[in-house]
Every structure is written in structure tokens, then in C-alpha cells.
Amino acid sequence: MSGLNSVLDRRRFIRNVIMLGAGILSGVGLPAPVFARGKSRVVLVKTDDRALGVARALAEFDLSGFRGATVALKANYNSADPFPASTHPDTLRALTQGLKDAGAGPMALVERSGMGVTARVLEELGVHDVAREVGFKVVVMDRLGADGYVHHAPLDSHWKKGFLLERHFAEADRVVQTCCLKTHQYGGHFTLSLKNAVGAVAKYDPATGYNYMNELHGSRRQRTLIAEISQVFRNDLIVMDGLRAFVSGGPHAGRQVEPGVIVVGTDPVAVDAVGVAILRLYGTTPEVARGAVFEQEQIARAVELGLGAATPEDIELVPLGPDADNLARRVREELA
């Protein structure tokens, strides 16, 4: 295993040097490496109160870097279907209020729905009410022109033309996302933090009309393409709402279970690995249940790119709340 880790470490180093150079040459700010020395901490809060769960999890992280920082927010508003298809308003409220209490500067929630008209989806799900209450801007990607995006063509990518990342995610001081815990019946297999970043990419190129989502969903490498977005989509904080989950179907409907957990981290690979492990504990689809967690294509490609934890041993689980120790033990067993 030590030989494998050394190879992965070299890959991360080479990738980070290349990405840094690309950022300097293009003048576009790129995310700092999310994989640091030591383990990737993932907090598991067992709770039936999402507001308290989010607050308790955030208390485990140093948020001093958010003080005065501009923040780009990505939630899960692919359709107007209620949680767990979409971000629960209480989760959005607890997360944004927690960031505001930490001293965050201007915050912008940026969204694009894949199964509905974005503006209508946000209105139906009460997003604007939360925005007015807490005090953040809402950006509808459907209304943006070419200047609303930054083109990225990572050197190690299977995207034919690269892709357009919404500008807030490229330029904000901090990027935060909140995702749901669910399977994905249209080729993604599961839709957690790595898949949630797809909503930060333009559906169409406003200048040429090229359809990036047709490319993604028509590709036999769909799960690989999903992971490759996170070469440029940074994650300074990830909040996964797993109070309920879809263990089949998804992303808009499916068989529901109640894990009763809030999962928080900064490493999308670690967070998604833990999410997949939880889905498997409840009996999920053959695609998600098959093989080792780190052999899942989204996760394996993200590991190959050096985007986070490379093995289950790289993840430090921090259980909080009643029966959280038992959940953490079961997750560790599933990861191993």
C-alpha cells in the first residue's frame, strides 16, 4: 500500500504544479489542492434536527478563513421535487446563517436546474424567502451570457471542448456546497458532492450553443466527466444532508430511507465515499453496491486526479450525537 500511496502523492504533486502554472498563465484563479497532509476529516452528526446538526458540524471546523470572504454557494435544485430530491430550506438557512455568523462577506447562491426552469424551481422551493431572511444573492444561470462563465479545459480531461464554469465559482474567495444523499438513475449511479458540481457548469455555451449536458449524459464516461469538473470546482466546505435519502431511483424520486445524519467535510472524495458507504448500509442499487467504495468510477477518477483521499485509511470520521459511534463503525467497515 505504501508504494501505491507514493505513486498517488507524486501524481498529486505533478497535477498541482501543472494547475498552478495554468492558473498563472491564464490569469484565472484555480482551487488550492484539497488534499493536505494527514487525514481528511469527515464529521458525522446523528440527529433528527437538521438546523442543530448543521450548526454542530460547523463548530468542528475552523471558519476563520471565511471572515470577510466572498462566498459562492452551490445547493441542489435540479428539480422542484422536495427533499431529499432538493436541498431542504432549513439546511440552506442553517448553512448560510452559520457562514454569516462566522463573518462571511457577500454570499451568492448560484443555481441551474436540469429538470425544470431554474427560476420557477427556486421560487417553488422557497429559496428566495431564505435569501431575504439571511441576506444573500441568488443567481439564475439560465439568464447569464457568455461573460457569466469561465472556460476551463483541464489538461487531464475527457471533456471534448472543456466546459464553462459559472464565474462566481471561479472568482469567489470561498466555495461552499450543500448536497443531498441519493442515487442517480440516469447514469451517474449516485449524486453527492462530485455530481452536485455539474450544476455549476453551463448547459449551453451562450456564444456557440454547444450543449455540454448532452455531451455529459451521452458519454459512456459520464461518471469520469463528473469527477473531472472538480479539478476546477473548489470545495472549502461541503454539507451533505442525509436525514433522508434515496437508495434507488433519484435524483428526483426514489425509495426513501432515513439515515438521520448530517455529513460535513472539505474533501469531496472523502465525503462522497462516506455517502456511498451509508447508501450501501441501507440496501441500494446494484451499481452502487458493486465492488469496493473506492472502485466506484466517480471516486476512482477523482482519486486518480489527486482531488482528495486516496484510500479509506485517509479518512478520519468524527462521530457526534446519539448512536453516531455505531454509524461511524459501520461506515468504516463498509469503506474497508
Side-chain angles (χ1 to χ4, degrees), residues 116-183:
V117 178
T118 308
R120 293 178 188 168
V121 168
L122 298 179
E123 191 63 42
E124 287 184 37
L125 293 177
V127 172
H128 295 289
D129 295 334
V130 178
R132 284 188 290 267
E133 178 184 340
V134 178
F136 58 85
K137 181 172 68 171
V138 177
V139 177
V140 175
M141 289 172 60
D142 305 354
R143 299 169 177 168
L144 299 177
D147 61 350
Y149 297 95
V150 175
H151 180 259
H152 286 285
L155 296 178
D156 192 357
S157 172
H158 293 82
W159 287 85
K160 296 175 183 176
K161 300 174 179 289
F163 51 83
L164 295 178
L165 186 71
E166 200 280 338
R167 186 169 292 278
H168 284 82
F169 298 113
E171 297 180 350
D173 298 323
R174 297 287 181 267
V175 175
V176 175
Q177 68 156 304
T178 179
C179 56
C180 300
L181 178 59
K182 53 186 180 176
T183 48

Side-chain angles (χ1 to χ4, degrees), residues 81-137:
D81 299 281
F83 178 84
S86 304
T87 299
H88 195 286
D90 291 346
T91 301
L92 180 63
R93 182 181 295 106
L95 172 58
T96 53
Q97 187 62 56
L99 295 174
K100 188 174 181 180
D101 292 346
M107 296 185 288
L109 177 73
V110 184
E111 292 295 333
R112 176 183 63 76
S113 302
M115 302 175 71
V117 178
T118 308
R120 293 178 188 168
V121 168
L122 298 179
E123 191 63 42
E124 287 184 37
L125 293 177
V127 172
H128 295 289
D129 295 334
V130 178
R132 284 188 290 267
E133 178 184 340
V134 178
F136 58 85
K137 181 172 68 171

Side-chain angles (χ1 to χ4, degrees), residues 20 24 28 43 71 75 105 112 118 135 175 199 201 215 225 237 260 263 285 317 335:
L20 178 61
I24 292 172
V28 175
V43 174
V71 180
R112 176 183 63 76
T118 308
V175 175
V201 172
E215 177 187 346
L225 268 61
L237 188 67
V263 180
T285 63
L317 293 179
L335 287 171

Side-chain angles (χ1 to χ4, degrees), residues 15 19 22 52 67 69 77 107 114 168 170 259 276 283:
R15 175 206 170 245
M19 294 293 281
L52 290 176
R67 193 170 298 120
Y77 293 111
M107 296 185 288
H168 284 82
V276 169

Side-chain angles (χ1 to χ4, degrees), residues 186-211:
Y186 302 117
H189 294 174
F190 53 85
T191 174
L192 309 175
S193 71
L194 290 166
K195 179 69 170 64
N196 198 40
V198 172
V201 172
K203 179 178 181 179
Y204 296 100
D205 185 328
T208 67
Y210 184 78
N211 193 316

Side-chain angles (χ1 to χ4, degrees), residues 58-73:
L58 293 184
E60 295 294 314
F61 291 86
D62 179 8
L63 300 182
S64 61
F66 283 85
R67 193 170 298 120
T70 57
V71 180
L73 300 162

